[in-house]
Amino acid sequence: MKILICILTCIFCKNLNAQTQLSPKYSVDNTVRALANYGDTLIVGGDFNNVGVYSGAGAMFTTDSDQPNLNFPKIMGTILKSTPDGNGGYYIYGNFKKESESTSSFATKRIEHILPNFSFEANFSIPVNVLFDLQCLLLHNNILYIGGSYVTSINNQPAGDLSALNVITKVLEPWLPTVTRTNLGGVFSLCVSGNTLYFGGGFTAIGALSRNNLAAVEIGTGTIKSWDFSAALPPTSLRAFSSILTYNNKLIIGGNFGTPGLPTQHACALVDTINGQSFNFLFQSAGLFGVGYNALYFAAGVTTMCTNGDTLFTFTRGTFDTRVTALLLSTGNAIWGKYFNQIANATQMQLQNGALFVVGENFDKIYVTNLDNNSNANVESEIKGAVKLNTATGNLMPWFPNPVGLVVRDVYTLGVYNNQVFIGGVFTHVNGLSRNGIVMIKNSTQEVLAPSITLGGHSIRSFKIYGNTLYAAGSFPNINGIAESRSIIALSLINGNLLPWQPPFLGNAYSVEANNNFVFLGGSLNEPSGGQGRQHLFAINRNTGALDNWAPNPNNPVNALHINDNKLYVGGDFTNIAATSKNRIARFDTADLSLDAWSVNPNGTVRSITSNENDLWIGGDFFSVNNQNCSMLAGIEKNTALLKHKPITAFIGGSCYSIFAKGCKVIAGGSFRINNTDSCNNLFVYDIFNKTIAPTSEFCNNIDDLGGNVLGLAAIDNSLYFGGNFIKKNNKANASNIEKHSFPVTFFDGCAFYETVQNGNWNNPATWLGSIVPPSSARVTVKHMVTVTAATTCFSLIVTPNGHVELSNNLTVVN
């Protein structure tokens, strides 16, 4: 008996260990539901509003670049306060969790120390028990001063609204007197000058002494200073003194306060530090609309301040008067002002090398003047969360980190040290660009391509590219600012424009397919009134957008559509379609749209369908097809409907939402865990030839532990993109909702499985299962007597003990 290993060419798939996780530069701030590729362009669809570089809730920049340092740790949640450690690191407070922590664990309120090398200090994770959050942090001589509202413990030690933590011992200092807060009050601002700690907020007493909202104590002893500014000028709000600074022998106070009978535009004052009785206001009384930068809208207040020598920079917030103002402290005269949108609020400002960095909440626009803020002609620049101003002129400088997030993009804290700028908040991405539900990214350069469409209330569920047209299915109540509900849109992939192809609104579309004649649309759909009452599955004329008369009327929604070999496969949760009993998947001939007898009968919902050379792949919630056990994913021989592949024999709950098949690999994504002992969840690779799932250590190892899911898959060359709703892959939070893996160039080589069914010639279809001659680079098993009379290649060849390959015409074997 003659046994050959390979005919002509021997090529073997490389081990999966060679794959690498290579996150894309850009990801999005909400769920990805659909992926497609058009040449070198990745097209992403879903529920998102922005695309950007994933940063988590904190990001580090240099003072002259708005490109983030990607080595900064990913922090998931909200960073509320921070203070530099003086060595290039930062102490941060918020409600968050670190990348190294389990994604299924909860964010907790804590203080962490990020070292200059961007690692976290070991054994420094300080839990904070507080009702209304910490309001300020200040590091001085290894003591971290902490102000808050309704604080009960820090590092499991009893604490109040003003505490001092020794960062070396992690023990609270005992010398600080107790703060008696007002209702909803606490300590909101801190300042150190010499051996004195100044603090402001909402309180009525310090220790046994009466102090209204502003006080001073001696550091180390806790002796309460006799200095009492609030006795001379009672505040008018709980956050009266929101910011305090020292200047020469004076204290600068900012907030909302005034004297009896005077309006509260006196929101900033210089106070002597001897007895607190001598003071002068830095803004003039000017009624509703004052003239000049020294005049302040009567209801405005100072939220934050910083100084540079003799110049004070304030951020004031109030109707028609939300601005940064530069004031000369020696004269009290204003130098310049920069107007922000009315609801903007700066949370912090700092200076470095002639630049003023300003971060805050609800940043939207910067205006030329404070007149007619709704006029586009008055808009100087669109802004997001953080800006840089020239200290001499107030002009915008080219530094736009543009933080963005799922709901809000606010920046709550800022740290500037040497040439570094740290920002923290509730954002998830920086370098953000507005993209509503659809974004195109060039694979080779990772460039975000120009926007083509704005979708209001968007939810893209599925893509289909046919020729140079992109069809996007979903539910769109608003297109480019025009209220016109659609279930599907068509875009030109040549110029990115929305095409004038507008079928009637049918409802929520879940899947789309197309051929030369029709665009097929499936979902939870209903024909508009006046029609035939059809539902869930429609054929739309690809030229006119008119509904075809085809009426399959599945009795439940359609989740998946797929065309292969002139057959339209339809999957969903139906049990009847085209007036025929069919369980959850059916097949139509695309020539006349007739239902054929092909039947698979999965016992649960079908959510995804694709195919490779010989097989149809279906995924969903089922446990069997044609009464044969399988789990969630099944490979079915297209002609016979027989079950050929069942990659998973046991899994814990969940579903398969997406399948990608290419060459000898099938990749499945969803929300699942395979079995009790295997950590593989939500994404795996199945090798068709070896009939095995890749080991968990090599590929399928944890997408957000038990929390995330994978809803879309696409490949460009040897790179696999997957999208869904997740933060981490393999415990790395490099991107959100989109990830990328790079494989060896031969990884997806064609290797469909072929085997003989009878003796015969290699090139005779009757010799092979399915009557298909193996194409080049196929994997082949020979079980019979086979004669090779013409040159051919195979990926690999297995000859069983009963098999035999006879070469003729001077053919040779290449090992």
Side-chain angles (χ1 to χ4, degrees):
M1 179 176 64
K2 188 175 183 180
I3 301 178
L4 301 178
I5 301 303
C6 189
I7 299 175
L8 295 184
T9 305
C10 184
I11 307 170
F12 294 97
C13 280
K14 294 183 180 179
N15 192 291
L16 279 171
N17 278 323
Q19 63 88 22
T20 56
Q21 182 177 344
L22 183 64
S23 297
K25 178 179 179 181
Y26 289 96
S27 63
V28 296
D29 61 358
N30 204 351
T31 304
V32 170
R33 299 187 183 276
L35 294 176
N37 67 288
Y38 180 69
D40 189 45
T41 298
L42 176 73
I43 306 172
V44 184
D47 303 341
F48 49 86
N49 293 305
N50 300 282
V51 61
V53 177
Y54 181 69
S55 61
M60 183 71 76
F61 307 86
T62 63
T63 53
D64 57 2
S65 173
D66 53 22
Q67 298 302 306
N69 188 323
L70 298 180
N71 294 317
F72 192 79
K74 303 298 187 298
I75 297 167
M76 290 156 278
T78 302
I79 299 174
L80 291 168
K81 299 296 173 182
S82 69
T83 187
D85 67 3
N87 297 309
Y90 289 85
Y91 291 93
I92 63 171
Y93 162 77
N95 188 16
F96 56 80
K97 52 192 172 187
K98 297 181 287 187
E99 179 184 31
S100 59
E101 295 174 313
S102 167
T103 311
S104 58
S105 65
F106 294 103
T108 58
K109 293 182 178 181
R110 86 278 287 277
I111 300 170
E112 296 279 352
H113 183 202
I114 301 175
L115 299 172
N117 64 1
F118 297 157
S119 66
F120 287 93
E121 180 183 342
N123 302 316
F124 191 98
S125 185
I126 308 298
V128 176
N129 192 343
V130 56
L131 181 60
F132 293 132
D133 279 316
L134 301 185
Q135 305 296 324
C136 46
L137 298 177
L138 176 64
L139 184 69
H140 180 72
N141 292 338
N142 289 325
I143 301 297
L144 186 64
Y145 296 98
I146 303 167
S149 183
Y150 288 77
V151 182
T152 55
S153 71
I154 297 174
N155 203 23
N156 300 314
Q157 302 165 56
D161 289 348
L162 179 63
S163 300
L165 177 74
N166 186 309
V167 296
I168 306 300
T169 65
K170 307 175 188 62
V171 175
L172 293 178
E173 296 288 321
W175 52 264
L176 273 176
T178 301
V179 174
T180 303
R181 65 174 168 264
T182 59
N183 184 33
L184 302 180
V187 174
F188 303 137
S189 54
L190 294 166
C191 179
V192 169
S193 179
N195 72 335
T196 301
L197 173 68
Y198 295 93
F199 52 97
F203 48 84
T204 58
I206 304 299
L209 297 181
S210 173
R211 290 291 186 272
N212 288 320
N213 304 323
L214 193 62
V217 299
E218 185 178 88
I219 291 175
T221 66
T223 301
I224 302 170
K225 301 279 187 175
S226 60
W227 183 88
D228 186 8
F229 169 70
S230 61
L233 187 62
T236 56
S237 80
L238 292 177
R239 291 178 178 263
F241 309 118
S242 59
S243 185
I244 51 178
L245 299 170
T246 58
Y247 167 70
N248 295 335
N249 64 338
K250 295 184 178 181
L251 191 71
I252 311 171
I253 59 172
N256 293 298
F257 55 88
T259 56
L262 290 177
T264 58
Q265 70 249 44
H266 299 295
C268 190
L270 276 171
V271 186
D272 75 90
T273 55
I274 305 302
N275 57 25
Q277 302 304 302
S278 175
F279 59 89
N280 61 287
F281 295 114
L282 296 176
F283 287 101
Q284 300 170 357
S285 301
L288 281 173
F289 303 103
V291 178
Y293 295 127
N294 278 101
L296 192 64
Y297 174 70
F298 81 99
V302 170
T303 60
T304 186
M305 306 181 296
C306 65
T307 57
N308 181 28
D310 198 34
T311 305
L312 171 69
F313 301 91
T314 68
F315 191 95
T316 54
R317 184 184 186 192
T319 306
F320 306 117
D321 213 355
T322 299
R323 71 178 192 246
V324 173
T325 307
L327 296 154
L328 195 61
L329 287 169
S330 58
T331 65
N333 293 328
I335 304 169
W336 55 258
K338 177 66 68 173
Y339 292 96
F340 287 63
N341 55 292
Q342 292 179 21
I343 64 170
N345 177 43
T347 53
Q348 208 163 349
M349 300 191 299
Q350 289 196 28
L351 293 135
Q352 184 79 15
N353 299 329
L356 175 67
F357 294 88
V358 186
V359 302
E361 307 164 284
N362 300 312
F363 282 13
D364 185 16
K365 296 177 177 68
I366 281 181
Y367 294 96
V368 178
T369 72
N370 67 332
L371 301 177
D372 189 14
N373 281 356
N374 293 319
S375 169
N376 289 331
N378 194 37
V379 174
E380 178 181 348
S381 180
E382 304 282 340
I383 57 171
K384 294 183 178 74
V387 296
K388 178 182 177 183
L389 304 177
N390 185 295
T391 56
T393 65
N395 292 336
L396 273 169
M397 300 179 73
W399 185 81
F400 300 98
N402 287 343
V404 294
L406 173 59
V407 179
V408 291
R409 55 178 187 245
D410 294 338
V411 179
Y412 297 135
T413 187
L414 165 72
V416 180
Y417 181 81
N418 289 339
N419 69 332
Q420 290 185 329
V421 181
F422 163 73
I423 63 173
V426 72
F427 54 87
T428 57
H429 295 71
V430 295
N431 297 161
L433 299 167
S434 177
R435 294 295 188 274
N436 302 117
I438 184 168
V439 63
M440 300 184 184
I441 303 171
K442 197 169 182 64
N443 174 60
S444 56
T445 64
Q446 288 297 296
E447 171 191 7
V448 175
L449 302 182
S452 57
I453 189 169
T454 299
L455 304 174
H458 53 273
S459 180
I460 289 179
R461 300 293 293 266
S462 179
F463 285 140
K464 175 63 180 181
I465 295 175
Y466 194 84
N468 292 318
T469 300
L470 172 69
Y471 297 97
S475 179
F476 318 112
N478 186 294
I479 310 291
N480 287 335
I482 300 173
E484 48 179 2
S485 295
R486 299 199 199 180
S487 303
I488 185 169
I489 55 175
L491 289 90
S492 167
L493 289 172
I494 301 208
N495 56 29
N497 292 335
L498 181 68
L499 296 175
W501 180 84
Q502 189 172 350
F505 177 66
L506 299 168
N508 295 323
Y510 302 151
S511 187
V512 58
E513 256 290 4
N515 62 11
N516 194 51
N517 297 317
F518 298 110
V519 174
F520 298 96
L521 196 65
S524 180
L525 308 175
N526 291 283
E527 189 173 10
S529 60
Q532 305 172 38
R534 294 175 293 173
Q535 61 182 8
H536 303 321
L537 180 59
F538 293 86
I540 304 169
N541 187 292
R542 204 170 70 84
N543 294 315
T544 67
L547 298 182
D548 187 74
N549 290 328
W550 185 49
N553 284 329
N555 63 336
N556 276 308
V558 169
N559 299 320
L561 298 170
H562 178 69
I563 292 178
N564 180 264
D565 293 336
N566 298 316
K567 302 290 185 181
L568 172 67
Y569 295 89
V570 180
D573 201 28
F574 51 84
T575 56
N576 188 285
I577 189 169
T580 304
S581 178
K582 289 282 185 183
N583 287 326
R584 301 174 181 92
I585 189 167
R587 188 171 77 174
F588 295 85
D589 192 311
T590 57
D592 59 7
L593 298 183
S594 61
L595 181 72
D596 65 25
W598 184 88
S599 184
V600 173
N601 286 316
N603 69 339
T605 303
V606 172
R607 301 190 182 276
S608 51
I609 308 174
T610 193
S611 61
N612 56 8
E613 289 178 331
N614 288 331
D615 304 325
L616 185 80
W617 292 87
I618 64 172
D621 306 340
F622 49 82
F623 297 90
S624 70
V625 294
N626 283 333
N627 296 317
Q628 293 182 275
N629 290 332
C630 63
S631 292
M632 190 177 64
L633 177 68
I636 299 162
E637 205 284 318
K638 285 184 287 191
N639 293 326
T640 65
L642 295 176
L643 178 65
K644 286 180 61 177
H645 299 274
K646 46 181 181 179
I648 304 173
T649 56
F651 74 102
I652 302 174
S655 180
C656 175
Y657 293 117
S658 53
I659 315 170
F660 175 80
K662 183 178 179 181
C664 58
K665 301 297 190 300
V666 172
I667 301 175
S671 179
F672 52 79
R673 184 171 289 274
I674 290 180
N675 57 49
N676 285 311
T677 60
D678 196 339
S679 63
C680 180
N681 68 315
N682 302 334
L683 184 69
F684 67 84
V685 175
Y686 176 70
D687 187 304
I688 296 173
F689 180 72
N690 293 317
K691 295 189 175 182
T692 58
I693 292 178
T696 60
S697 61
E698 294 173 358
F699 185 78
C700 53
N701 182 21
N702 288 335
I703 291 179
D704 281 10
D705 303 320
L706 294 176
N709 55 46
V710 174
L711 302 175
L713 296 161
I716 298 178
D717 298 327
N718 62 318
S719 292
L720 172 74
Y721 288 91
F722 50 94
N725 186 2
F726 54 82
I727 296 174
K728 293 198 294 184
K729 170 71 174 74
N730 288 343
N731 293 319
K732 290 292 184 181
N734 292 330
S736 71
N737 307 313
I738 307 173
E739 264 293 359
K740 176 183 178 183
H741 277 263
S742 180
F743 293 97
V745 294
T746 59
F747 183 79
F748 290 113
D749 280 352
C751 56
F753 183 78
Y754 296 86
E755 65 180 39
T756 60
V757 292
Q758 63 180 26
N759 298 334
N761 187 283
W762 182 285
N763 293 301
N764 184 351
T767 306
W768 301 99
L769 179 67
S771 300
I772 301 175
V773 176
S776 296
S777 299
R779 284 178 161 176
V780 175
T781 297
V782 174
K783 299 180 178 180
H784 302 82
M785 301 288 291
V786 177
T787 302
V788 178
T789 57
T792 187
T793 60
C794 69
F795 190 89
S796 63
L797 176 68
I798 297 175
V799 182
T800 69
N802 295 323
H804 180 85
V805 177
E806 182 70 31
L807 300 177
S808 62
N809 295 337
N810 297 317
L811 294 174
T812 59
V813 175
V814 178
N815 292 317

